[in-house]
Amino acid sequence: MAEANQHSNSSSEHLLPNMIEKEENISQECRDIISGLPREEGWFQNSLYQFQGFWHQAWLIQGALGFQKHFKACDDDILLVTTPKSGTTWLKAILYATLNRYPTFHLFPTITPISHNHPLLTTSPHLLLPFVEGMYQDNIFRDQIDGMASPRLLFTHMPYSSLPKSVKHSSCKIVFLCRNPKDNFVSLWHFANKIRPKTWGTLSLEEALDKFCRGVSPHGPFWNHVLEYWLESLKRPDKIKFLKYEDMKDQPATNLKILAHFIGHSFSQEEEVGGVIDDILSICCFENLSNLKVNKEGKLPFGMETSAFFRKGQVGDSVNYLSSEIIEKFDSITQEKLGPHGLKF
Ligand code: PAP
């Protein structure tokens, strides 16, 4: 089995103070709440707390409280929700490029949206969609969400049961992305080892596996997170589009067309013939995004290096890390938790 620390980054020490600072700066209200919650050691943060049935970092619990209390959904909002490490960066880029394709295309019908000055070429996808619980963690940023032009394209990792009522009751659309649990786990394990401070040592595969299978992963339990959105998408297919990373990889153009239609921004015949779909997929593909300077050398405001979001971008990489015994264990949990509901990976 490969060692995750082969991927560790010597400059990741600076991340810890930022994460700790965020934990130290939480409000008294949140401090009081988390003091009564079950706590476990985090993967790349000091602690995870079980809040409303799922494991989160303290500062994101504060963000979730603000999100639940203050967020007013608009009917034309589009909310991307993902399980962490399921292809969030990719879907953020795809949705952004799809929603923002009009000005260029309509002004210059012979020019595709992928012009040399497209924002995705110089800005991390993570900065193009506000991370709502991150923004609501801080009152200063809250106003920025309220002040966004419509249609607002927003992002969250929150479980369905923790979403604000107004999201559920408005006509806003939810795009949910998840991924095969084995690949998701391997991606998360690598990510954790890449961004953990070196002084913490490597998180072993066994330790990570134990946490993940017990449900103790960021925004986990993984299976419950996926199941909530799956069940809701069955009840309300017009409200929630349930997507799998594997399907996006397998049939990107077909799924992008479906996605664009779902969010109310279908591609016209003219656009399809003009190659707009292919252009969006080209600018957002792993090879392109991962090689851009902004994604190779950039940093997010809380110190995270943007390169941490790009590793292999492949389906099935977990076979290179998991023994057949572990694969069997994963498959049986998945079958037990999701199988009865008709969800397979
Ligand atoms: P997040 O949920 O923390 O934002 P996210 O972007 O979901 O992270 O996770 C990164 C994963 O998406 C990585 O998977 P891997 O570890 O299995 O390689 C990363 O490589 C993959 N990824 C990032 N960008 C793309 C892309 N454009 N196309 C396909 N996969 C991508």
Side-chain angles (χ1 to χ4, degrees):
M1 276 179 208
E3 286 295 319
N5 63 1
Q6 283 172 358
H7 302 269
S8 67
N9 186 325
S10 60
S11 61
S12 60
E13 279 89 338
H14 71 274
L15 293 173
L16 179 61
N18 289 324
M19 299 255 182
I20 285 179
E21 213 178 283
K22 282 190 178 297
E23 289 206 8
E24 282 176 352
N25 287 344
I26 57 173
S27 66
Q28 192 56 47
E29 181 200 7
C30 185
R31 207 172 287 278
D32 291 344
I33 290 173
I34 64 170
S35 69
L37 297 177
R39 178 194 168 277
E40 291 255 358
E41 231 171 69
W43 293 56
F44 47 84
Q45 57 290 93
N46 275 346
S47 314
L48 286 173
Y49 298 92
Q50 194 180 35
F51 170 71
Q52 299 177 348
F54 289 81
W55 294 91
H56 307 279
Q57 296 170 65
W59 70 286
L60 294 178
I61 294 175
Q62 178 166 313
L65 291 167
F67 185 26
Q68 290 170 352
K69 201 160 156 187
H70 302 291
F71 183 74
K72 303 260 178 309
C74 301
D75 285 339
D76 59 357
D77 283 346
I78 300 158
L79 185 64
L80 171 65
V81 188
T82 69
T83 49
K85 317 325 292 179
S86 63
T88 311
T89 313
W90 188 26
L91 243 285
K92 280 181 174 176
I94 285 181
L95 282 173
Y96 180 86
T98 301
L99 203 64
N100 292 286
R101 70 188 191 269
Y102 297 116
T104 316
F105 189 73
H106 286 303
L107 284 175
F108 308 103
T110 55
I111 301 175
T112 63
I114 312 315
S115 60
H116 63 280
N117 60 357
H118 194 284
L120 279 167
L121 299 177
T122 50
T123 312
S124 160
H126 293 281
L127 296 177
L128 293 172
L129 275 74
F131 175 36
V132 274
E133 57 272 36
M135 303 286 271
Y136 275 94
Q137 183 260 344
D138 194 323
N139 281 333
I140 303 169
F141 297 124
R142 209 162 83 194
D143 294 344
Q144 288 184 18
I145 292 199
D146 294 343
M148 278 173 76
S150 78
R152 298 185 300 182
L153 183 53
L154 304 163
F155 167 74
T156 181
H157 279 311
M158 279 293 137
Y160 184 78
S161 49
S162 292
L163 291 180
K165 285 196 181 73
S166 81
V167 170
K168 297 174 183 173
H169 297 150
S170 72
S171 302
C172 80
K173 300 280 187 184
I174 297 175
V175 174
F176 177 73
L177 178 72
C178 61
R179 183 180 193 181
N180 178 307
K182 290 169 286 192
D183 286 354
N184 201 315
F185 163 73
V186 166
S187 184
L188 177 64
W189 175 56
H190 277 102
F191 180 77
N193 276 308
K194 198 164 187 179
I195 71 162
R196 277 158 73 92
K198 275 198 156 181
T199 49
W200 288 15
T202 302
L203 176 67
S204 72
L205 186 100
E206 292 67 27
E207 216 182 319
L209 190 70
D210 173 65
K211 283 177 188 289
F212 195 87
C213 291
R214 287 190 296 114
V216 185
S217 58
H219 310 284
F222 168 90
W223 293 272
N224 302 31
H225 195 276
V226 170
L227 184 60
E228 283 193 354
Y229 282 98
W230 170 248
L231 292 177
E232 202 55 34
S233 75
L234 295 179
K235 276 191 240 158
R236 296 203 289 165
D238 292 342
K239 173 82 179 170
I240 302 183
K241 174 57 66 194
F242 187 95
L243 286 173
K244 293 179 189 159
Y245 181 84
E246 294 74 24
D247 293 341
M248 280 304 291
K249 275 275 185 185
D250 189 36
Q251 295 197 299
T254 305
N255 281 302
L256 176 50
K257 265 202 268 184
I258 294 171
L259 192 56
H261 178 72
F262 174 76
I263 62 173
H265 295 264
S266 300
F267 294 104
S268 65
Q269 191 65 27
E270 187 193 20
E271 285 177 309
E272 282 195 32
V273 172
V276 174
I277 295 175
D278 289 343
D279 282 345
I280 290 175
L281 292 172
S282 302
I283 199 172
C284 298
C285 75
F286 182 84
E287 291 67 30
N288 184 57
L289 288 188
S290 62
N291 283 308
L292 295 172
K293 190 165 187 270
V294 64
N295 295 324
K296 268 163 86 166
E297 298 169 18
K299 278 193 185 149
L300 297 181
F302 51 95
M304 183 92 72
E305 291 175 2
T306 49
S307 61
F309 295 97
F310 301 91
R311 192 179 61 93
K312 288 190 181 171
Q314 291 169 5
V315 171
D317 183 47
S318 52
V319 295
N320 297 314
Y321 297 91
L322 306 181
S323 65
S324 49
E325 200 182 316
I326 294 175
I327 288 176
E328 241 174 66
K329 179 175 176 171
F330 258 100
D331 289 346
S332 87
I333 299 174
T334 303
Q335 174 52 30
E336 183 198 325
K337 303 224 174 188
L338 306 181
H341 304 284
L343 181 55
K344 286 191 169 56
F345 283 95

